[in-house]
Amino acid sequence: MKKVLIFLTVTQLTLVSCGAQSTQTKEKKNTMSETKKPDQTKAGSPVYSKTDSSKVNMSEEEWKKILPADVYYIARQKGTERPWTSKFEKFDEVGTYYCAACGNALFKSDTKFESGCGWPSFYDPISKGSIIYTPDNSHGMTRTEVQCGRCKAHLGHVFDDGPPPTGLRYCINGVILDFEKAKETEKKFNEKKGGE
């Protein structure tokens, strides 16, 4: 019994410290169906582009048609994936992270760090315009939500307990991220830069 109580306490503290939404309605849980739609975030999406920076304005019905259920839940319903479930949490490839809903560049891999909170964490976005900051007073907490600067997809939250040089921790849902590996020349440049 003592072990169960310790486990529950640690789990609750982790969720609160990372700004996870600890309460979800049954309706929202049901939107995360076990059977996903085919990956439409790239092929078949009229808005997904890694080069187009124009703002995306679509209705929720249009988003629902083109996004897989798990991406829709996070991006449009401001959901939170379970901690330690993202393939990007312990991921260390060199490259760029993009918004899975629209293809907007969000973070470079050299700004990713291990925060221990259970979600992929970064200390700096790729550009000032790649992220939108919105006050979030839900769940009895005061936080800053981060959204995609192109399509306003919910990404996660930003906290002021990150490493230098920014001191920020962008705690991001991995479901809303796409990743593109760096080309060999970019990898060599980053390795050389890191060795100086």
Side-chain angles (χ1 to χ4, degrees):
M1 181 70 172
K2 194 174 188 178
K3 287 181 181 179
V4 172
L5 287 174
I6 291 170
F7 174 76
L8 291 173
T9 302
V10 169
T11 302
Q12 185 178 19
L13 288 173
T14 301
L15 290 174
V16 170
S17 72
C18 289
Q21 294 176 357
S22 58
T23 57
Q24 300 172 346
T25 63
K26 285 185 180 182
E27 181 182 314
K28 282 191 175 182
K29 283 184 181 179
N30 290 337
T31 62
M32 293 288 291
S33 68
E34 294 300 317
T35 57
K36 297 178 185 178
K37 293 179 191 175
D39 185 5
Q40 297 173 337
T41 55
K42 295 177 188 170
S45 172
V47 296
Y48 191 95
S49 173
K50 292 180 181 173
T51 57
D52 185 358
S53 61
S54 63
K55 302 294 182 201
V56 177
N57 292 306
M58 290 175 46
S59 71
E60 290 308 305
E61 282 306 309
E62 291 172 305
W63 280 117
K64 203 171 213 173
K65 288 177 187 174
I66 65 169
L67 295 177
D70 57 346
V71 176
Y72 180 81
Y73 169 68
I74 301 295
R76 309 313 310 171
Q77 295 182 312
K78 299 180 188 280
T80 300
E81 68 188 351
R82 289 177 297 137
W84 297 286
T85 59
S86 171
K87 66 182 178 182
F88 295 123
E89 199 237 333
K90 299 273 186 195
F91 191 76
D92 62 0
E93 292 284 334
V94 176
T96 304
Y97 292 87
Y98 296 87
C99 174
C102 73
N104 184 38
L106 300 171
F107 302 98
K108 286 285 194 186
S109 60
D110 60 356
T111 66
K112 187 174 185 293
F113 69 99
E114 179 54 52
S115 69
C117 73
W119 289 272
S121 296
F122 304 85
Y123 62 79
D124 203 18
I126 206 163
S127 71
K128 288 182 181 181
S130 64
I131 302 283
I132 296 171
Y133 301 87
T134 309
D136 178 1
N137 297 309
S138 64
H139 306 288
M141 296 180 265
T142 300
R143 303 175 289 177
T144 301
E145 176 189 4
V146 288
Q147 297 174 303
C148 172
R150 182 168 180 243
C151 72
K152 295 186 178 177
H154 171 74
L155 303 172
H157 292 86
V158 63
F159 303 94
D160 60 3
D161 60 359
T166 65
L168 299 174
R169 173 174 54 97
Y170 291 82
C171 189
I172 306 298
N173 290 285
V175 168
I176 194 61
L177 297 174
D178 274 346
F179 180 78
E180 185 176 280
K181 229 177 187 180
K183 295 177 177 57
E184 283 304 311
T185 53
E186 187 179 345
K187 279 186 190 177
K188 287 178 184 174
F189 174 77
N190 284 337
E191 287 168 5
K192 184 178 177 185
K193 185 178 164 186
E196 293 176 355

